[in-house]
Amino acid sequence: MHYFIYATQDAWISSGSSHVDGTSFTDQNVGQDEILELKKTFWNKAFDYQTRVLVSFAGSEFTEVSQSIHNGHIVNPKFNLRLYEAEGTQDLTTEYKLAAFPVSESWEEGVGKFGDDPKVTNGVSWDNINYYPGNSAITWSQAGGGVRQNEKGGTVITGSGNEVSQSFSYESPDINMDVTDIVNNWLGGTNKNYGFLLRFSGSQETDNTTFGQLKFFSKQTNTIYSPKLEVKWDDHKPCTGSNTGSLLQMTSSGEVDYTLYMKGLKESYKENDKIKFRVMPRKRYIQKTFSTSAQTVTGSYIPEGSGSYSIVDLATGETTVPFSPYTSMSCDSTSNYFIQWMNTFQPNRAYKIVYRIKYRDGQEILYDDGFEFNVRS
């Protein structure tokens, strides 16, 4: 299964100031911006200042996954941090590297936007984790031990299992970073879950040879492109032995033409439903036979390792759940099936299921036959 945990907080923080009026950005909060900016700014052909991105997933969905792992319902999950490029990315070096660290203390998303005049300081910034006017600023800690001693720009935990990275070379800036080690440290109690800090890696953050003004969708966009923590695990039940009951295995030689049909597919599902989608193969053309006795029909099943599924957002055509080793189809004595948690999808949108069957002769056939559903809040 692929399951997405959506960000509960995000913001970007800046170490610079305006060259027009001298306004400092270091205590400014922009937690309500629809775009997260991860960039390096240059002045007179030399590096001037950098920004960083903070994103947290410490909500009820993360708690549910944590409990499912503890209870043994989710086994050996993988976690990927996903951010999606927004329009406006520019001045990007063809090769660069981004790094992510676990944040070491709590922070406030805040209520500001970059265009606010006067600027807003309520919430996280380069200098502070929070600063409400009329109160003393709460600065980032300068803790010891395994914590990077950033006086400003966010304190993070370093060391083995606490730094991950993604290298880019002539490719989309979309972030798809394996953060399994960091999340496992949260789940195991080694660290507390205060989210991730993203930055250019190492010396690339301040050198004069790496360029980039990256823009990503934030949680404020309310689109399918908001930041996600993707959870992947193999939950399928093998299509072998007693699992298949009296079902007959479909012919997978590639010489027989099959169609797929779904049993009990509904027009819409509630956001918090956990649905078992059932699908069965059927020969497209059935040879007629004549008999003087009553006949029974025995269903068929897609053999182990041959069938998988994908789920596509209808409005955008974007693949939400891709074909992968984590989308293999299961089987019981009734039919093939897969289970999907509906709160992985944005509500009040339409989706479709696409199936793929691999045949022994090397064919891979996609079945895109209008298997559509809505998720409602």
Side-chain angles (χ1 to χ4, degrees):
M1 184 187 296
H2 288 249
Y3 178 69
F4 298 105
I5 300 172
Y6 292 91
T8 52
Q9 291 194 115
D10 60 23
W12 60 281
I13 56 178
S14 175
S15 63
S17 60
S18 170
H19 286 281
V20 176
D21 59 11
T23 299
S24 173
F25 304 142
T26 62
D27 62 351
Q28 182 176 11
N29 173 263
V30 293
Q32 295 303 304
D33 268 10
E34 294 184 351
I35 300 297
L36 299 170
E37 298 193 27
L38 180 59
K39 64 184 180 181
K40 296 174 62 178
T41 298
F42 288 74
W43 183 256
N44 290 333
K45 299 182 180 180
F47 171 77
D48 189 20
Y49 67 88
Q50 76 270 40
T51 69
R52 294 171 178 170
V53 167
L54 296 161
V55 58
S56 174
F57 301 90
S60 59
E61 294 168 344
F62 186 88
T63 300
E64 181 181 17
V65 168
S66 176
Q67 291 173 343
S68 294
I69 294 171
H70 178 75
N71 295 335
H73 298 149
I74 296 177
V75 179
N76 296 325
K78 298 294 183 182
F79 297 89
N80 282 66
L81 178 61
R82 306 291 300 272
L83 274 76
Y84 300 90
E85 178 194 12
E87 185 177 359
T89 292
Q90 58 184 340
D91 301 330
L92 190 59
T93 305
T94 55
E95 295 186 356
Y96 61 96
K97 187 176 182 180
L98 301 180
F101 301 85
V103 181
S104 66
E105 57 188 318
S106 63
W107 48 277
E108 295 285 339
E109 179 180 70
V111 297
K113 291 187 174 183
F114 186 71
D116 289 340
D117 187 12
K119 68 181 179 183
V120 172
T121 61
N122 301 31
V124 71
S125 65
W126 189 269
D127 289 347
N128 310 308
I129 61 174
N130 207 347
Y131 181 19
Y132 283 94
N135 297 295
S136 298
I138 304 175
T139 60
W140 289 100
S141 297
Q142 299 178 45
V147 178
R148 179 190 295 271
Q149 296 188 40
N150 289 343
E151 294 183 13
K152 300 177 181 180
T155 52
V156 297
I157 302 172
T158 60
S160 178
N162 289 309
E163 178 179 356
V164 297
S165 61
Q166 181 177 351
S167 297
F168 297 81
S169 178
Y170 298 91
E171 61 189 279
S172 166
D174 288 354
I175 293 175
N176 187 359
M177 193 179 294
D178 186 343
V179 293
T180 302
D181 288 345
I182 291 176
V183 177
N184 281 340
N185 282 336
W186 291 338
L187 295 171
T190 302
N191 302 323
K192 290 186 177 181
N193 177 10
Y194 297 123
F196 300 94
L197 181 145
L198 280 161
R199 47 167 285 183
F200 280 90
S201 180
S203 61
Q204 287 189 4
E205 188 177 37
T206 57
D207 66 22
N208 286 313
T209 56
T210 307
F211 304 91
Q213 296 192 28
L214 292 160
K215 295 187 177 183
F216 301 100
F217 288 100
S218 80
K219 64 182 281 286
Q220 311 303 334
T221 58
N222 297 311
T223 70
I224 65 170
Y225 303 109
S226 60
K228 304 170 187 173
L229 181 62
E230 181 180 21
V231 192
K232 303 177 289 187
W233 71 97
D234 182 7
D235 66 337
H236 97 287
K237 305 299 181 184
C239 301
T240 57
S242 60
N243 286 351
T244 62
S246 61
L247 298 176
L248 300 177
Q249 181 174 302
M250 66 174 282
T251 303
S252 57
S253 64
E255 298 174 354
V256 179
D257 189 8
Y258 280 90
T259 184
L260 299 183
Y261 70 98
M262 294 192 67
K263 300 179 65 174
L265 179 65
K266 295 181 180 180
E267 181 180 346
S268 64
Y269 298 94
K270 294 181 180 179
E271 185 179 5
N272 292 321
D273 286 345
K274 295 181 179 180
I275 302 300
K276 179 182 284 188
F277 289 103
R278 290 193 173 276
V279 61
M280 295 186 73
R282 180 166 53 194
K283 292 180 180 179
R284 191 179 299 274
Y285 306 106
I286 301 176
Q287 185 176 359
K288 292 183 178 180
T289 59
F290 298 91
S291 174
T292 58
S293 60
Q295 300 293 304
T296 59
V297 177
T298 301
S300 299
Y301 70 92
I302 302 164
E304 173 67 13
S306 296
S308 58
Y309 63 92
S310 173
I311 300 178
V312 177
D313 180 86
L314 277 178
T316 64
E318 294 282 345
T319 297
T320 303
V321 175
F323 294 113
S324 79
Y326 304 99
T327 60
S328 295
M329 281 196 277
S330 300
C331 194
D332 59 19
S333 59
T334 300
S335 68
N336 291 101
Y337 69 89
F338 69 91
I339 295 173
Q340 185 65 57
W341 297 2
M342 290 293 103
N343 62 351
T344 199
F345 304 113
Q346 292 284 358
N348 304 314
R349 298 183 70 90
Y351 300 87
K352 69 175 179 179
I353 304 169
V354 180
Y355 292 99
R356 181 177 67 186
I357 296 181
K358 297 180 180 180
Y359 291 88
R360 290 201 307 266
D361 64 357
Q363 292 186 82
E364 291 189 4
I365 297 180
L366 296 181
Y367 294 84
D368 185 358
D369 297 326
F371 302 131
E372 300 177 2
F373 64 91
N374 295 284
V375 178
R376 65 179 189 273
S377 57

